[in-house]
Amino acid sequence: MKARQIIVRPLITEKTTLMQELENTVCFEVHKTANKIQVRHAVEELFDVQVSEVRIVNRKGKPRLRYGRVVSHRPNIRKAYVKLAPGSKTPEFFESI
């Protein structure tokens, strides 16, 4: 897979902005079959940073309710928490927040 296929989108929430400020960690939604090594190479290639650690989390999709009944489920999501090496600059879209 190519780097653009591995990283789907950045996840920007209160938790991830706090992690970015305190721990120099950024969060991305990644492809369902991507592993840690592929995520590391994709982030280093796309953003020109050094990665020190990658943690991957699978989040199960929540049920969608209509009139008290479960109609369907939201899709499952795979997230990657990427810790940048000391001295690496965070990507610009995380800095504007």
Side-chain angles (χ1 to χ4, degrees):
M1 276 192 290
K2 296 182 180 180
R4 296 244 182 233
Q5 294 174 336
I6 293 172
I7 295 179
V8 178
R9 66 186 175 112
L11 296 176
I12 302 172
T13 61
E14 291 180 17
K15 178 182 176 180
T16 58
T17 53
L18 187 64
M19 289 177 70
Q20 187 252 328
E21 292 171 359
L22 298 177
E23 303 171 6
N24 202 18
T25 302
V26 292
C27 184
F28 298 99
E29 181 181 337
V30 295
H31 193 269
K32 293 178 183 177
T33 60
N35 59 25
K36 291 181 180 185
I37 298 168
Q38 292 173 333
V39 171
R40 172 190 296 261
H41 291 306
V43 170
E44 288 177 348
E45 179 183 334
L46 290 175
F47 303 110
D48 295 326
V49 294
Q50 293 295 322
V51 175
S52 64
E53 181 182 353
V54 176
R55 292 176 288 160
I56 292 183
V57 178
N58 293 315
R59 192 186 83 191
K60 190 174 180 181
K62 297 179 181 179
R64 289 185 181 164
L65 301 176
R66 297 280 191 259
Y67 304 110
R69 294 180 178 233
V70 175
V71 175
S72 62
H73 285 81
R74 293 181 182 152
N76 297 336
I77 293 176
R78 189 173 183 124
K79 298 191 291 187
Y81 292 99
V82 179
K83 187 171 186 177
L84 303 177
S88 291
K89 186 178 172 187
T90 58
E92 59 274 351
F93 54 83
F94 285 106
E95 292 176 354
S96 62
I97 296 174

